[in-house]
Structure formats: C-alpha cells, structure tokens
Amino acid sequence: MNLRNIVKIGTVLSVLLFVLAVLFYVFTRLDMARSNRDIDLFSLVPSNSIAVLESDNINTFFNQYSELNYNRELGGFHFPGLFEFLITGLNEYTDENAHGLSNRMSRLLVSFHHPGSSRDQVAYFLMEMADEQMLSDLLQDYVHGNFLPKEEIYRGKKIWVYPLSDDEFLAAYTERGFIALSFQKRLIEEVIDAQLDEKSLSGDVVFSEIQRRKKSHDFLTLYGRSASLPFLGLGAGCWSEYNFHLNSDVVYLTGDTYIPKDNHCIEDAMLHLREMPVMKEEGIIVSSQKDSTALYVNHAYESNDTGYRTLFKECVANLSNEVDFSLVTDMEKVNENPNRFQAYLPSFVLENASYLRSFILSVQLSLNGNRPSHIWVFTYKN
C-alpha cells in the first residue's frame, strides 16, 4: 500500500471518527434533555404533604411583584422558613445577574409538612448544569465559616448537609436534572422514600386529577389539603387549588376544590350553606342566600350613585348574585378577631391577617356538581 492510499484512508477514518463523535454528543444531549423533560417533580413530593406551592416560572413572579402598588404592605406576607430563605437568595441573584434563573430552574415546587412550622418545608427545582454552579455559589454564601458540606448516605442516596448560621442546617438531595432542599434532613429522607417506594403525590388520585388540567404559562398556584372554605366540611381526601393572578391593585385567587369520587358530601355542604346565618354589619357581609346577596349588591350600587361611595361598597357591588355563597370583609376586621372567621377562611389567610390589613377581601363560592369553585379577591385599600 503506497503512502497516498494510506493518507486517504487516514483522512476518511478521521472524518468518520469526527462524525461519530458529533453524533454521539448530539444523541447524548438529546437523551439527557429527554430524560430531564420526563422528570415529574411531584413524583418526589411525599404523599403526606399538607400543601404545595407550584410555579412554572418564578422569574415572572419576581418581575411582577416589584411593580405592585401593595408590595411594601405584603413585605412580611410569606411562607416563612425555607421558601423565604431560598426565594430571597434567588431574587437577589436575579437582581445581580441580568440573565436571571434558567427556564428550567424557574420551575419550582415547595411542599409543606406537619406539624407546619416554618422549618417543615421542602423546595424542589429542575436544574441545568449552569444552575448547579449558581446554587453551589448561593449555598456557599450562607455556609457558616469555611465548613464543607457533610455527605450522608440514606438508602443508597447521597444527602449533602450544609451548616448555616444560627445553628441551622440545609439538607440537599440532587440527581441529574433536579435538586430537593430542606432545613430538615428527615424530610429529605421522606423525599427519597417517596421516590424509591413510589409513594408520592403523583399517586394521589384526587391530586392527580388537578394535574391533568391544562394550566396557562407563568402560573403560581397553591394547593391545600382541605376545602376552600372550612365550614363546607367536605371531609378527608379533598384538595383545593388557588391560582394567583396579580395586577397593580388586586390579587385574585381562583380555582376548584377536588373531592374523592366516593365522597358524597356535596349534599352536606349544601345543608351547611342553608344553615349559614346572614350577616351584615360595618365592614362585613356574609350571605348564602341569592336573594339577600342581590339586595346587598343593589344597595351598594345605589349608595355609590348617591355620592356615598366607598371601596367596600364597590367590592360588594362587584359581587355576582348567581353564586351559592358570598363574603366581603375588611381584613382589618379579620386581624382584630381572627377566631370569628375560622369557619370562613383557611389557616394561611388567618395566620397572615396582620399583613393583609390593607385589603378588602371578597370571596364567592359556587357548588357545581361535585366540584366547588371559588374566587378570592384581595383589593388594595390605599
């Protein structure tokens, strides 16, 4: 074989090897992308969670929040603990870095667990390679002194424990494409149990029904393991969703309550509604009767037309009289006596009443078949 043929063969082999290398790289990246797309964060969430916060683009929430007229009043309203810790750090990061979080990491879940303290939370992120370095930098900023994270093994999975200031620790569990973080190592162990034993929220029949519904882009939703209004008494197994919609002066929370198919409690809920006393006093209206709601709405219209216009009356005038239950109250009233509103409002509103004093709250409920629908409107007073 002469030298020219050897050179030709070498050239062909070099080209073939290059093409194979490129194809291998492309298919590897496609396989990784396909694998990452298939990650269901809810498959990591323990089935005993009492609530979950979900967003497909937390970047949008950051951007909207700074433009709201009431953002100062809501400065203290938060899901305390881990969520506040991480979101504050990530928000500062996006302020300092023009590119912000990646599209994947903007996908966020936070699960809440018994007994419900500020430490009983787990945050879950989808991640790209660049996010891993960003999170590492963020955690290193909070690590106490120059300590390195401690590695612990649970059921063959690595848990990294970061020492923070004030005798706090942050536990992290990560595999390709996601990370789970919590102040409680036991909760990270529950995440691993949920993943390995396939006993996560993805297996909850009622919760899975919510996830089958299509959502709009850039959403922020809270799911609670209870009825939207406590007095309905819908029993165990139900989930309520609260989809957040923000504008400059109003916060809307819309959604449905999902009930197990074998739970025939809507009749009881209707009975509770019929027994609900009508209430009308300064700064409070409660009605489960369409006729009385219509009277309140008409009276509010007439008062506004005669020059006695108030924001509270405007909120009443905006009510629909075709629903099964209506409530309008100045949140100052709730803050003064939260026990009075325990039958009407869920705990996350009562516990944050002091931060919501600058709002008028309007709540309406419709019982449609076996799925109660609700809308909550917080209207800024200033």
Side-chain angles (χ1 to χ4, degrees):
M1 183 177 293
N2 59 39
L3 182 60
R4 180 177 296 179
N5 288 335
I6 292 174
V7 170
K8 285 184 179 179
I9 293 172
T11 302
V12 171
L13 285 174
S14 297
V15 172
L16 285 175
L17 288 173
F18 174 76
V19 171
L20 287 172
V22 170
L23 289 174
F24 177 79
Y25 173 80
V26 170
F27 282 111
T28 299
R29 297 297 295 176
L30 286 174
D31 181 65
M32 289 178 64
R34 188 179 300 111
S35 175
N36 287 344
R37 279 201 305 270
D38 291 339
I39 295 173
D40 174 16
L41 288 179
F42 286 107
S43 69
L44 304 171
V45 179
S47 59
N48 60 1
S49 302
I50 57 177
V52 180
L53 185 71
E54 178 188 18
S55 177
D56 71 329
N57 189 353
I58 202 66
N59 268 332
T60 298
F61 177 71
F62 289 157
N63 295 333
Q64 283 184 332
Y65 193 75
S66 62
E67 302 298 324
L68 303 177
N69 290 336
Y70 45 81
N71 63 2
R72 290 186 179 179
E73 279 76 4
L74 288 184
F77 180 80
H78 56 266
F79 300 94
L82 178 68
F83 180 76
E84 180 72 6
F85 169 80
L86 290 173
I87 294 308
T88 299
L90 291 173
N91 201 10
E92 291 174 355
Y93 176 83
T94 56
D95 287 342
E96 296 170 1
N97 296 268
H99 58 276
L101 303 176
S102 72
N103 290 334
R104 285 179 58 74
M105 195 170 180
S106 288
R107 172 94 164 103
L108 164 73
L109 294 183
V110 180
S111 59
F112 302 84
H113 303 265
H114 286 297
S117 76
S118 60
R119 302 180 73 252
D120 299 314
Q121 303 166 14
V122 182
Y124 313 77
F125 295 93
L126 292 177
M127 291 200 308
E128 295 177 348
M129 292 179 66
D131 296 324
E132 295 179 14
Q133 184 59 50
M134 186 277 292
L135 257 184
S136 177
D137 294 342
L138 175 64
L139 291 173
Q140 198 61 46
D141 287 341
Y142 285 99
V143 169
H144 185 62
N146 295 318
F147 290 101
L148 295 175
K150 178 183 177 183
E151 177 187 328
E152 298 191 16
I153 303 297
Y154 177 75
R155 296 186 66 178
K157 302 291 186 178
K158 292 180 181 179
I159 299 176
W160 298 95
V161 180
Y162 292 82
L164 307 178
S165 58
D166 302 324
D167 298 323
E168 285 280 13
F169 294 86
L170 186 68
Y173 166 51
T174 181
E175 289 191 343
R176 191 176 71 181
F178 76 85
I179 188 169
L181 301 155
S182 179
F183 286 141
Q184 303 263 28
K185 187 169 75 74
R186 66 169 179 84
L187 290 179
I188 294 297
E189 291 173 354
E190 289 186 17
V191 168
I192 294 172
D193 289 339
Q195 181 190 35
L196 296 181
D197 299 336
E198 298 184 355
K199 294 183 178 180
S200 67
L201 273 186
S202 293
D204 186 302
V205 175
V206 178
F207 191 84
S208 295
E209 186 179 356
I210 302 178
Q211 295 304 304
R212 283 195 292 270
R213 296 186 67 180
K214 288 186 177 180
K215 287 185 176 292
S216 60
H217 294 296
D218 302 331
F219 66 84
L220 180 67
T221 302
L222 177 68
Y223 308 98
R225 195 191 288 271
S226 65
S228 58
L229 298 173
F231 71 79
L232 290 174
L234 295 179
C238 66
W239 282 90
S240 295
E241 63 175 349
Y242 304 88
N243 299 303
F244 286 73
H245 309 276
L246 310 177
N247 68 28
S248 58
D249 294 303
V250 180
V251 181
Y252 300 91
L253 283 74
T254 62
D256 298 337
T257 295
Y258 292 73
I259 305 169
K261 291 184 178 179
D262 58 352
N263 188 334
H264 305 289
C265 56
I266 288 295
E267 295 81 3
D268 293 335
M270 291 295 295
L271 179 61
H272 291 317
L273 280 174
R274 286 194 292 269
E275 294 175 346
M276 186 65 59
V278 173
M279 185 189 310
K280 186 178 186 299
E281 58 184 69
E282 185 67 27
I284 302 175
I285 281 179
V286 177
S287 175
S288 58
Q289 300 174 14
K290 295 181 180 180
D291 291 343
S292 62
T293 302
L295 288 174
Y296 297 154
V297 171
N298 292 335
H299 182 264
Y301 269 120
E302 293 171 359
S303 296
N304 288 336
D305 290 341
T306 56
Y308 295 99
R309 181 182 296 273
T310 66
L311 183 59
F312 181 84
K313 291 177 182 177
E314 288 184 12
C315 292
V316 174
N318 288 331
L319 293 176
S320 168
N321 53 20
E322 296 300 322
V323 298
D324 296 298
F325 175 81
S326 299
L327 177 150
V328 183
T329 183
D330 189 322
M331 283 301 298
E332 188 67 62
K333 297 284 187 180
V334 180
N335 183 57
E336 291 171 357
N337 188 1
N339 291 336
R340 188 182 183 190
F341 293 87
Q342 283 185 337
Y344 307 113
L345 306 179
S347 58
F348 76 89
V349 173
L350 296 176
E351 291 168 0
N352 288 281
S354 61
Y355 302 118
L356 298 168
R357 290 176 297 175
S358 298
F359 292 84
I360 304 291
L361 170 62
S362 307
V363 181
Q364 294 207 279
L365 175 80
S366 297
L367 295 178
N368 301 318
N370 199 42
R371 184 177 297 167
S373 299
H374 53 263
I375 178 169
W376 298 61
V377 183
F378 291 89
T379 305
Y380 185 45
K381 291 190 291 188
N382 295 333

